Amino acid sequence: MAYCSRIIGTGSHLPERIVTNAELAQTVDTSDEWIVDRTGIRERRIAHKGETTAALAFQAAENALEAAGISAQELDLIIVATTTPDNTFPSTATKVQAMLGLDTGAAFDVQAVCSGFIYALSIGDNFIRAGQAKKVLVIGAEVFSRIIDWEDRTTCVLFGDGAGAVVLQAEEVKAGDKVGILSTHLHSDGKLRDLLYTDGGPGTNSTVGHVRMLGREVFRHAVTNLAAVVDEALAANGYEKSDIDWLVPHQANKRILDGTAKKLGLSEDRVVITVDRHANTSAASVPLALDEAVRDGRIKKGQLVLMEAMGGGLTWGAALVRW
Ligand code: ACO
């Protein structure tokens, strides 16, 4: 028996507090004009003091389960992609599992920074293809505001907090059926880890540390790597660029989105864009954008949806889905 993974529900959750560029300009030497011009970001959501990654993830999960029409008790596996876990251990996924009232199945975190959701989706899909799980909850959730150096204008303007989730369900397929998650493609290059990192963590003498980034270098690698992995995903399934109905990219920077869309020959109205309102929410950005486009009716059954992301590591990846 062969199985594919269908995405049967999506959900998301954002902190209430909106921080505009103008508000940031009161504390660091920046301006709304510079941020909009270089990044397309106009505002971001920032979690309040007690609001953790697990809290955001739990809300997104509840919304996704409701959309899927299943109860948490039916889940075999919970995967949380995050770079900002509630604690060093245990995993945020086990905390979400407990919040959902579960003591069955398995739960673990995945760490691939901004590519985390694509990595977690790929893992969930492979569990289903292997016949080891029937229903999987995949979440991307972050409170990046906790690892930002709020005095560093080159990074603090770029990020925001939030969570998004999808429910995967196994569906029996015959050879040649092209439905659900068609393929996922993951890459990393650890030689480039110093382009984007935190200067802290258990392996250092400091606390969790802050995000440090060589922005221009990251930008250059993003456009090249994303174009390559998109080509790889299309070629693996025998599709052309013109077959894509919706591109749901990681929301790092409007200029990276424009560059990737241009390479694919996709007009802006085929690209789901949230970076203007959410900024870069790391592992949460793809499922947040996906949920928005599913709920407002842009993404429809039968359409071809391409998700892609790149982040620290460097890591990058893509997932092609027949909705
Ligand atoms: N406000 C005002 N001026 C600023 C700000 C700011 N917030 N930040 C930097 N500047 C200044 C710099 O100090 C520099 O000044 P100088 O010329 O006097 O030295 C000038 O603006 C130009 O700086 P650059 O870094 O060259 O600006 P650039 O056009 O490359 O834009 C940016 C910077 C937006 C970070 C860009 O490089 C970028 O988007 N890179 C991708 C990084 C990214 O998105 N990372 C997210 C994680 S990875 C991912 O998700 C793909």
Side-chain angles (χ1 to χ4, degrees):
M1 195 71 67
Y3 294 103
C4 82
S5 314
R6 296 300 291 254
I7 297 177
I8 60 164
T10 65
S12 59
H13 185 72
L14 289 162
E16 260 176 39
R17 185 167 169 235
I18 295 172
V19 175
T20 62
N21 293 343
E23 196 176 335
L24 281 182
Q26 289 169 11
T27 51
V28 284
D29 182 15
T30 190
S31 65
D32 179 54
E33 195 190 358
W34 191 96
I35 300 170
V36 172
D37 182 53
R38 303 291 177 114
T39 72
I41 297 165
R42 294 183 183 276
E43 60 187 38
R44 71 284 295 141
R45 301 295 185 102
I46 300 294
H48 65 70
K49 207 162 171 276
E51 207 170 18
T52 66
T53 292
L56 299 176
F58 170 67
Q59 294 292 341
E62 292 249 281
N63 293 337
L65 288 166
E66 192 186 349
I70 69 159
S71 77
Q73 275 65 30
E74 295 177 58
L75 294 170
D76 305 307
L77 180 61
I78 300 171
I79 310 174
V80 175
T82 189
T83 304
T84 49
D86 284 23
N87 300 95
T88 304
F89 80 86
S91 69
T92 301
T94 56
K95 196 162 172 183
V96 173
Q97 181 192 28
M99 292 166 90
L100 288 169
L102 291 180
D103 57 9
T104 55
F108 60 84
D109 287 359
V110 166
Q111 158 60 291
V113 206
C114 300
S115 315
F117 178 76
I118 302 290
Y119 269 63
L121 191 72
S122 177
I123 295 165
D125 177 44
N126 279 302
F127 265 86
I128 284 178
R129 284 171 188 268
Q132 210 176 337
K134 290 274 184 282
K135 289 189 174 69
V136 181
L137 177 63
V138 180
I139 306 171
E142 304 275 16
V143 284
F144 242 64
S145 58
R146 306 270 158 76
I147 56 168
I148 293 299
D149 176 352
W150 287 101
E151 290 178 1
D152 175 9
R153 69 175 184 174
T154 69
T155 51
C156 78
V157 301
L158 302 176
F159 297 94
D161 301 334
V166 300
V167 178
L168 304 183
Q169 178 170 273
E171 188 173 298
E172 282 179 27
V173 281
K174 294 188 294 292
D177 281 355
K178 283 190 167 186
V179 290
I181 298 178
L182 302 177
S183 64
T184 57
H185 305 265
L186 305 181
H187 294 276
S188 59
D189 182 353
K191 290 196 302 297
L192 300 173
R193 51 190 288 118
D194 291 343
L195 298 186
L196 180 54
Y197 63 99
T198 55
D199 55 5
T204 71
N205 289 325
S206 87
T207 57
V208 290
H210 291 123
V211 175
R212 304 295 174 207
M213 179 177 75
L214 296 176
R216 285 207 164 186
E217 282 296 297
V218 172
F219 193 103
R220 194 169 62 77
H221 284 286
V223 176
T224 314
N225 292 342
L226 290 172
V229 79
V230 162
D231 283 346
E232 183 186 330
L234 292 171
N237 294 283
Y239 287 119
E240 302 292 332
K241 292 174 170 126
S242 55
D243 291 320
I244 301 171
D245 291 302
W246 288 105
L247 177 66
V248 185
H250 169 51
Q251 312 280 321
N253 181 312
K254 180 74 164 49
R255 288 188 295 151
I256 297 178
L257 302 189
D258 290 346
T260 313
K262 200 171 163 198
K263 277 204 158 121
L264 291 171
L266 280 181
S267 60
E268 196 175 293
D269 58 5
R270 292 276 160 164
V271 184
V272 181
I273 296 171
T274 56
V275 70
D276 52 331
R277 288 159 291 128
H278 299 172
N280 182 347
T281 56
S282 183
S285 94
V286 171
L288 269 164
L290 185 69
D291 185 47
E292 186 172 293
V294 168
R295 281 176 192 265
D296 68 20
R298 272 178 286 174
I299 294 179
K300 294 181 182 65
K301 197 169 163 54
Q303 290 186 327
L304 193 64
V305 178
L306 180 68
M307 299 177 238
E308 43 88 331
M310 197 201 83
L314 293 180
T315 55
W316 63 102
L320 194 61
V321 182
R322 178 64 72 185
W323 205 259

